[in-house]
Amino acid sequence: MKTIDAQKGSALFRSAPLLLDRDLVLSDGQPLVSGSTSDRLILVGRREGKRLAATLTQRMEALPRRSVLPIDCRQVHIMDISFGDDAFTRLARGRKDDGRFFVLENVGEELEANLDTLTKIRGFCCPCWLSDRNPSGGAAPANLPTILGDLGQEMRDTYGVAWQRGRITARDLIEEMPGAKLTIAAASNRLNRLADEGVLVALEVEAIEGGGRQKVYAPIG
Amino acid sequence: MGRVFTVIRNGDEPYRGAPDQDHPMVMVIDVGALFGKTLHSHDMDNFLAALGDASDLLRSDLPPFQFLTIDLSNLTYVTPSGLTWLLVALHALRNPNRRKQEPSIDIPTSEGRQPATNPTVRVIPPGPPHQLHYWLKWMGFFEFVEEHGIACDWEKPKVALPPDAERRLKSQTVLVLTELRTGVDVARVVREVTGSVATLLQNHLGYTGYDVAILGMMLSEACHNILDHAGEDACGLVAAQVIRRSKQLPYVQIGVADNGIGIRSSLSRAHPDASTWPHEQAIREALKRGVSGVPEEDRGLGLWSIVDKITDYQGTLHLRSGDARVRVKAREDGSVDYNVYPSHASVPGTMLCLTLRKRT
């Protein structure tokens, strides 16, 4: 195989993590209360979620296209649907067109439950790094993000393969998942679907030795 | 009717003359006799009916009553949701016309008449060592009635809780009565439930961190609805408790009530035709995804998300507004049943009772 477009964004720019803390979200003392057993934050209400969305949008717009903004959630304990909806849903829906992505990091068990509910209700997916466990309760591979949202197991497995490889094409996927007996069309569909879900990004189109072209994807995470 | 309440003159002493300044008309509603010792949220129907019956007396030759006494002394238990609606009702009854824009309880009479005068409301709670007295004290009942100018026959109790009562109450209380006026109040409520009492939920219901987070989310949505939809001057209340009954799975019950504009009026801000809907229809619409009183895109998730989650917890949701109550009950197959209970009287604001069991 010969890459014909290798200079065009062969990797995603990953910015420094943005800590979701009291200073970032608090502007008039309304939305946040420190937990009684910890200093973690309780985030509730649409108005407050909108305020965070404005901040996040500003930060993401300052990044180059094809970049990832890690949002460090270690200080967040709970987030209600209304807050999360206004803070993240629109941002998530704009990812594919905008070419700027976000990933949530250090997501605790409680926040994971809230975000999992939100993503399933709103029908979007979001890669995140859990702080101590994965949603199914089993041991999560330390080097693989969890996808929050309604995504079938085969698509999660496909994302896992893409993550391990760093970049992936339909032919790579067929090689990596021989048990799935994928055709080129089926493999392409899977990768395309994951790109639609905002957990992969199409980096480039490369020429295939012997004729033809194929898309190269990279995982968001 | 006589079993439920009595009309007396001059306190407990029979008086055969015409009422005057020294011998006012006093109406007593014996809540314990009316509700069979336990006051649930759905007892609001009977309570309002009793008020309506009482008001009917105004049709007779009797002069208007000047005092309305709510006698709780024969009750043995009040559920958290029963407590929140009772206090919202008392709050509305204490002086229905004190401010024009503040909603009041609409008490129907046979001729559609309202009381000629606004009675002074007085509440008689049970005294110690009645367990309900300790529970009311623990939940903050006496502070609420004092702060809101509701006359209470039991003056601010000086009796300290016995240590065993305090231990017992602490072991089942998820949230004492809390007023909701700002987003900070809601966040504090969520912090309380997901923080210090999470262990209690774990011990009684086997809740994991996941379950507690879902509970906190549902609670937040229910409480935030008051701030978003009840109107500017509305007063909201929330309380929650773990309830254990023999032959029943333990459950947590959350009561949320406000004296605001109610669901139909709220919806009519975004859907003008909603003002003509029956209250029952307004409640059912409000439970649907995407239906909201705020005319913005993508609203209307809060109540729907609560309904969506109750199936995971064998839960039940009661929602009352205006003259209707709708019950949403989870079925074993993951679907929900809707039942409508029309009422004889209209209440101000919205009342919500959420019951959740162990996650299935």
Side-chain angles (χ1 to χ4, degrees):
Chain A
M1 275 184 261
K2 186 175 97 182
T3 301
I4 58 171
D5 224 1
Q7 277 73 38
K8 282 191 182 171
S10 58
L12 292 169
F13 172 73
R14 188 179 174 86
S15 81
L18 176 67
L19 183 63
L20 190 49
D21 65 358
R22 173 173 289 269
D23 291 338
L24 183 73
V25 189
L26 187 68
S27 65
D28 62 359
Q30 287 300 303
L32 308 171
V33 174
S34 297
S36 57
T37 54
S38 72
D39 283 325
R40 290 190 296 163
L41 305 170
I42 307 288
L43 302 172
V44 299
R46 288 193 174 274
R47 191 180 51 140
E48 294 74 18
K50 277 190 173 74
R51 191 183 304 144
L52 177 61
T55 303
L56 294 178
T57 302
Q58 204 175 24
R59 299 288 180 114
M60 287 176 70
E61 282 173 352
L63 298 175
R65 284 176 66 83
R66 290 188 181 168
S67 56
V68 177
L69 174 67
I71 301 169
D72 190 335
C73 299
R74 73 183 64 206
Q75 292 192 15
V76 180
H77 184 199
I78 296 281
M79 182 184 291
D80 72 6
I81 292 273
S82 297
F83 182 99
D85 193 32
D86 272 53
F88 294 114
T89 300
R90 194 162 295 171
L91 214 58
R93 286 174 180 164
R95 288 171 302 188
K96 192 183 169 199
D97 296 334
D98 185 60
R100 298 175 179 88
F101 300 85
F102 66 88
V103 57
L104 304 174
E105 295 186 342
N106 290 307
V107 172
E109 182 187 17
E110 293 86 357
L111 180 59
E112 179 203 351
N114 300 149
L115 290 168
D116 193 48
T117 303
L118 170 67
T119 52
K120 283 174 177 159
I121 285 175
R122 282 304 192 199
F124 68 89
C125 293
C126 181
C128 82
W129 291 93
L130 303 177
S131 54
D132 55 358
R133 58 183 283 277
N134 73 5
S136 60
N143 59 349
L144 179 67
T146 295
I147 305 295
L148 298 176
D150 225 346
L151 198 65
Q153 191 54 48
E154 78 248 16
M155 299 301 281
R156 291 176 187 273
D157 293 343
T158 302
Y159 172 81
V161 169
W163 181 261
Q164 299 298 341
R165 289 184 62 93
R167 46 186 279 140
I168 192 166
T169 65
R171 283 172 175 74
D172 296 334
L173 184 61
I174 291 168
E175 278 177 28
E176 293 282 352
M177 300 181 82
K181 296 179 180 171
L182 295 169
T183 62
I184 283 287
S188 297
N189 281 342
R190 279 197 189 189
L191 296 176
N192 199 34
R193 160 96 196 279
L194 288 173
D196 281 343
E197 296 289 358
V199 299
L200 294 185
V201 58
L203 286 177
E204 59 196 3
V205 178
E206 66 179 15
I208 306 168
E209 212 170 296
R213 288 168 163 251
Q214 63 183 357
K215 277 187 183 173
V216 181
Y217 296 86
I220 311 296
Chain B
M1 194 162 68
R3 187 177 71 87
V4 172
F5 59 85
T6 53
V7 180
I8 55 177
R9 295 169 184 166
N10 193 23
D12 294 329
E13 296 299 320
Y15 174 72
R16 301 198 180 277
D20 56 29
Q21 194 170 359
D22 295 328
H23 305 97
M25 290 292 294
V26 179
M27 178 165 298
V28 180
I29 296 183
D30 184 342
V31 179
L34 182 59
F35 301 133
K37 305 296 181 191
T38 299
L39 187 63
H40 298 281
S41 62
H42 51 260
D43 290 327
M44 186 69 174
D45 302 325
N46 291 334
F47 183 75
L48 292 169
L51 286 176
D53 289 345
S55 298
D56 263 353
L57 289 174
L58 296 174
R59 291 185 306 118
S60 68
D61 296 335
L62 290 171
F65 55 91
Q66 289 163 275
F67 292 93
L68 173 61
T69 297
I70 313 292
D71 185 355
L72 306 177
S73 60
N74 287 319
L75 281 172
T76 55
Y77 181 60
V78 181
T79 64
S81 57
L83 184 61
T84 54
W85 75 248
L86 175 67
L87 286 172
V88 167
L90 290 174
H91 189 264
L93 278 170
R94 70 192 165 139
N95 189 349
N97 296 323
R98 122 182 147 278
R99 290 172 61 183
K100 270 188 178 172
Q101 67 271 32
E102 187 164 295
S104 61
I105 291 188
D106 173 22
I107 306 167
T109 66
S110 296
E111 294 179 349
R113 288 174 52 187
Q114 288 291 300
T117 58
N118 298 319
T120 299
V121 178
R122 193 176 64 135
V123 59
I124 305 176
H130 199 304
Q131 292 300 315
L132 181 58
H133 176 88
Y134 295 137
W135 189 76
L136 292 173
K137 179 178 165 69
W138 175 260
M139 293 297 280
F141 174 88
F142 295 108
E143 285 84 351
F144 183 90
V145 294
E146 186 182 24
E147 190 179 325
H148 291 275
I150 298 163
C152 184
D153 241 24
W154 184 262
E155 290 179 13
K156 197 169 186 179
K158 294 172 181 143
V159 184
L161 284 177
D164 60 327
E166 186 169 341
R167 263 197 308 278
R168 186 172 46 79
L169 291 166
K170 202 170 183 178
S171 74
Q172 61 194 34
T173 306
V174 176
L175 192 67
V176 296
L177 273 170
T178 307
E179 282 194 58
L180 302 163
R181 293 187 183 279
T182 69
V184 170
D185 296 332
V186 177
R188 285 197 180 118
V189 162
V190 176
R191 175 196 63 187
E192 184 68 17
V193 171
T194 58
S196 56
V197 297
T199 310
L200 186 152
L201 294 166
Q202 186 178 19
N203 292 342
H204 285 296
L205 300 168
Y207 277 14
T208 62
Y210 175 94
D211 301 315
V212 172
I214 297 296
L215 176 64
M217 198 174 70
M218 296 163 94
L219 186 60
S220 177
E221 296 298 339
C223 294
H224 234 288
N225 276 344
I226 294 174
L227 308 183
D228 290 346
H229 304 291
E232 278 183 15
D233 295 324
C235 165
L237 273 177
V238 56
Q241 188 185 20
V242 168
I243 298 174
R244 298 175 69 88
R245 294 269 182 276
S246 57
K247 299 178 184 173
Q248 272 188 31
L249 287 172
Y251 57 92
V252 57
Q253 186 186 89
I254 298 166
V256 183
D258 70 73
N259 64 349
I261 62 174
I263 290 177
R264 187 172 69 180
S265 295
S266 172
L267 286 183
S268 63
R269 296 192 289 200
H271 309 273
D273 56 331
S275 59
T276 62
W277 295 347
H279 287 289
E280 167 205 332
Q281 184 185 353
I283 297 172
R284 290 176 68 106
E285 289 293 322
L287 290 166
K288 291 179 182 171
R289 182 176 176 163
V291 178
S292 169
V294 179
E296 286 178 14
E297 195 185 349
D298 284 343
R299 296 295 297 257
L301 271 190
L303 284 174
W304 177 83
S305 67
I306 293 174
V307 172
D308 186 52
K309 281 291 172 194
I310 62 171
T311 51
D312 294 344
Y313 295 91
Q314 308 166 66
T316 308
L317 171 71
H318 292 263
L319 197 57
R320 166 188 284 287
S321 179
D323 61 3
R325 172 168 61 94
V326 171
R327 186 190 73 173
V328 188
K329 189 167 193 243
R331 296 170 60 174
E332 282 184 8
D333 64 3
S335 63
V336 290
D337 275 336
Y338 289 82
N339 290 93
V340 178
Y341 302 88
S343 179
H344 301 295
S346 192
V347 293
T350 306
M351 295 171 188
L352 178 148
C353 171
L354 179 64
T355 299
L356 302 172
R357 292 184 165 77
K358 191 175 179 177
R359 178 153 56 110
T360 50

